Every structure is written in structure tokens, then in C-alpha cells.
Amino acid sequence: MSVGVIILVVALIGGLYMAWMIGANDVANAMGTSVGSGALTLLAAIALAAVLEFAGAVLLGSSVTETISKGIIEISLFEATGPWGEDGPVLLALGMLCALLGSAVWLHLATHLGLPVSTTHSIVGAVVGVGVVSFGFRGVAWGEMGRIVASWVVSPVMGGLLAYLSFLAIRQGILRSADPIAATKRFAPYLVAVTTAVMVLSFIYKALKNRWEAPPVLLAVGAAAGVGVVVGVLAGAFLRNSTTARFTNPYDYVERMFALLQIATACFVAFAHGANDVANAVGPLAAVVSLYRTGYAEVATTVGVPFWILVLGGGGIVLGLATLGYKVIATIGREITEITPTRGFCAEFGAATTVLVASSLGLPISTTHTLVGGVIGVGFAQGIGALNLSMVRNIVRSWIATVPVAAGVSALLFVLARAIFL
């Protein structure tokens, strides 16, 4: 069996492994707070997320993707001959393969420990390892790395602040009102309208952009606002006609209504996650497949993604969700702070809004970091004693470790692979 075929076969296994780990770790972004609040059972969350993640990956996963460079290394450096006289395209294929495996190994360890980490930061760290081994420190765009490191602070702080303020508003306007049920019927439709508009804009700019060009800003905002108003009006009609007699405690009614909103939000996030994050697994694989088809003779910064690769990635995400997803779901839903539907909604709303704003400004941001920041924010609204500070410290340490550990594992694998195959 030729070296080229071996690289392809291992890349297929590595792509599936990476997708498995993305499903195991990242799915908590969508479903963690819903399970923690009791809005969904673990089994229901896994079933819903499995269908939506797979659908998002297959239907709206990008048909053309950048290689795993992520702007961290210059792909053109691999066009001809490697730094030690190797065949450049083959060296690139090996580098992508090792970056996939190095990233997946770190995600596997983090998932085993129940720690939510950024899959994007993991693959970025793995690429850094390949770049340093191939071309030394000059092979890494440290300016772009600085932007990524800055997002470690910006993401959770922005998500936490928005979640904190959202919960304070709900607590003041609804939970502490003289009649929480009447307050819910009065204010919830506006929350539904705003949340829907944010989700529609996120869908346009984070999911639909994988297949089509984004519409003009005014058109997108107008469409989002229109959909938000319609859904808000429907929510108002539903709330006005909802029965309250069976709720002896008015707060049970409030939490029930927010649980429905939280489930709807979680389903959207799961679909969008499948559409976006499948690229972290299939991008490198698609690049190796492209190199194999050209006989490892041509290097491209963007490559086509065959439909079967999207199916492989979506299937891997579902596999990870079904087998190991419960670990990180438990951390986000139960181990940071107590989550209720109102608090879970605020965490998800804060995270979604932060990601939308940051993406529109071109800022690199981690959905995982943002959501964890949101959960911390709603916990902090109850007082510092409501937070499990030991777990928070462990999560922060795992964030700091992600890039260097993924880089180190990837670099080690790359050195070994180069010695074996080249």
C-alpha cells in the first residue's frame, strides 16, 4: 500500500474520530442548560440533538472549506518542497492528519474529565504544532494567535455580562413582581420576539453563509425583525390562552413557559452547531482527499467537500453525542451552578447574542467559552456562593491548556509520522 493511500485511510479514521469528539464535547453548548434545568431529560436531549446536529451538518455544512490553516500557517509554504527536502504536498497532508489526531486526542481527554473546551481552539493549537515543526516559529502568524488568545477573555466576559443582565431584568420584571404569571404573559412575548430575531440573524450569518452569500445587512435585519414580531405575536396569543389553574405555585408556570423557550433555543443552536462545527472535522479530511485525487501534486487553500464527507462528519458528531456527550452536558448543566429554565434561557441568550455580535465584527470567538461565561453570569447573579468555584477554575485551566497541549501532541505525532513516511 502506497504512502498516499495510507495517509488517506488514516485521515478518514482521524476525521471520524475528530467528529466523534466534537459531538462528545461541543453538544453541551446546545443541550447542557436544558438538561440541567430539567426542561429536557438527558435521553430527549440526546435524541433531539442527534437529529438536528446531523441535519445541520449534512444540509448546511459548507460545500467548500478552507484547509485547517485557520490563518495560522501559510499553506503556500507547502507548495513545492518541504524544509528538509520532502515533497511539500505530502508533507501538508501528513500535517493535516496529525493536526486532526492531535486535536482529537486533547478533546478526548477533556471530555473524559467532563471539561467543556473549544474545538476550534483545539484545532488551532494543533495547527500551531504543525507550523512550528515545519517552519519554526516564523511559520506561525502570531498576530492571529494573539486575537485568538484575546477571545479567551472576551468570550466568557461578554457572554457572562449579557446573561447576568438578562437574568436581573427577568428577576426584577417577572420573578419578583406581585403577579409572576401576569408578568410572564405581559413580557414574555417581547423576549420571544427579540430572541427569535437574534436566532434568525445568527442563522443567516453563521449557517446559511456556508451555502449562499449573506444578504445585505438591512434586508437581513428587516427579515429577522419581521420573523421576530410574528413569532412574538403568536407567543402572546399562546400565553393568553394558556391555562394556569393546575399551577398552585405561580413560579412553576413561569419556569414552564421559559422551559419551552429554552428547548426551542437549544434546538436551533444544535442545528446551527452541526452546520458550522462539522468543518473542524471534515475540513482537514477534505483537504487530504483533494490532495490524494491530484496525486499529491497540488496545494490549495480552499477545497471542495464531497457530500459523503459531510455525512461522515455528521454521523461522527451523533456518535460522540450518544456515547460520551453526557459528561460535558452534566458539567454545564449541573456542576457550575444551579440551573433553572429562566437562568438557562438567559445563559443561552447571552451566548447567542455575543456570538452574533462578535461574528459580525469579525472577532474570533468561542461558543463554548461564551456559553460557560453565560452560565457563570447567571450563577453570579445569585451571589458568588452559588458558583462551584473549584469547577470554574478547572474549566479555565483547561481553556489555557487547550492550545499548548493540542500543539504539543500534534507536533509529536507530526515528527513521528515524518520519520516513518518521509
Side-chain angles (χ1 to χ4, degrees):
M1 186 180 295
S2 68
V3 170
V5 173
I6 293 174
I7 292 174
L8 177 63
V9 171
V10 178
L12 289 170
I13 297 171
L16 181 61
Y17 181 33
M18 180 64 172
W20 179 32
M21 288 303 102
I22 289 174
N25 199 285
D26 257 14
V27 76
N29 293 342
M31 296 295 171
T33 59
S34 295
V35 173
S37 69
L40 287 172
T41 65
L42 178 62
L43 184 60
I46 289 175
L48 272 176
V51 172
L52 293 165
E53 292 268 352
F54 185 80
V58 172
L59 298 177
L60 289 179
S62 181
S63 60
V64 177
T65 184
E66 292 184 3
T67 55
I68 59 170
S69 66
K70 301 285 186 183
I72 301 301
I73 57 174
E74 181 54 60
I75 292 298
S76 62
L77 294 173
F78 292 93
E79 285 181 351
T81 303
W84 300 278
E86 309 96 336
D87 182 82
V90 174
L91 188 67
L92 174 61
L94 273 179
M96 290 181 189
L97 171 58
C98 293
L100 258 182
L101 293 175
S103 176
V105 166
W106 165 244
L107 289 176
H108 200 156
L109 175 61
T111 301
H112 175 72
L113 298 174
L115 298 172
V117 297
S118 169
T119 55
T120 300
H121 289 182
S122 182
I123 197 70
V124 163
V127 172
V128 169
V130 170
V132 170
V133 170
S134 298
F135 305 103
F137 288 99
R138 68 179 180 87
V140 177
W142 294 109
E144 184 63 25
M145 277 303 302
R147 282 161 49 86
I148 291 170
V149 171
S151 76
W152 295 346
V153 177
V154 173
S155 301
V157 169
M158 287 182 63
L161 180 61
L162 282 176
Y164 174 80
L165 294 175
S166 299
F167 183 68
L168 288 185
I170 289 174
R171 185 170 64 183
Q172 188 64 32
I174 296 177
L175 297 177
R176 290 184 175 175
S177 66
D179 188 344
I181 292 178
T184 299
K185 293 185 176 184
R186 183 166 60 252
F187 293 119
Y190 297 100
L191 291 174
V192 170
V194 172
T195 302
T196 301
V198 169
M199 294 301 171
V200 170
L201 283 174
S202 296
F203 186 71
I204 290 172
Y205 288 109
K206 295 287 287 181
L208 289 183
K209 73 177 180 62
N210 290 333
R211 293 284 182 173
W212 301 280
E213 289 187 10
V217 174
L218 289 179
L219 178 60
V221 172
V227 174
V229 168
V230 170
V231 175
V233 169
L234 293 175
F238 171 77
L239 287 169
R240 284 193 299 273
N241 294 313
S242 62
T243 178
T244 62
R246 63 188 181 91
F247 294 98
T248 55
N249 185 338
Y251 297 106
D252 291 340
Y253 173 85
V254 175
E255 297 296 349
R256 176 59 180 166
M257 294 303 105
F258 273 92
L260 296 176
L261 181 56
Q262 189 183 13
I263 292 170
T265 304
C267 288
F268 167 83
V269 173
F271 184 82
H273 177 266
N276 289 306
D277 280 36
V278 69
N280 284 335
V282 305
L285 173 58
V288 173
V289 170
S290 177
L291 285 164
Y292 174 78
R293 286 176 174 173
T294 64
Y296 297 92
E298 182 180 342
V299 171
T301 55
T302 58
V303 296
V305 182
F307 181 75
W308 67 267
I309 291 183
L310 290 175
V311 173
L312 178 73
I317 288 175
V318 171
L319 178 64
L321 166 64
T323 56
L324 294 174
Y326 68 93
K327 289 179 174 287
V328 181
I329 285 177
T331 297
I332 287 184
R334 301 190 180 101
E335 299 298 325
I336 299 174
T337 190
E338 181 184 359
I339 297 291
T340 62
T342 48
R343 296 173 193 172
F345 163 75
C346 292
E348 291 179 3
F349 177 76
T353 305
T354 299
V355 170
L356 174 61
V357 172
S359 298
S360 66
L361 295 176
L363 300 175
I365 202 163
S366 164
T367 304
T368 300
H369 292 194
T370 308
L371 181 68
V372 171
V375 173
I376 293 173
V378 296
F380 187 72
Q382 306 300 307
I384 193 69
L387 292 170
N388 181 350
L389 295 180
S390 176
M391 177 57 69
V392 172
R393 282 193 294 270
N394 288 339
I395 291 173
V396 172
R397 287 168 183 160
S398 72
W399 291 352
I400 295 172
T402 293
V403 168
V405 172
V409 175
S410 175
L412 177 61
L413 291 173
F414 192 39
V415 169
L416 293 174
R418 197 181 65 211
I420 294 171
F421 293 110
L422 299 179

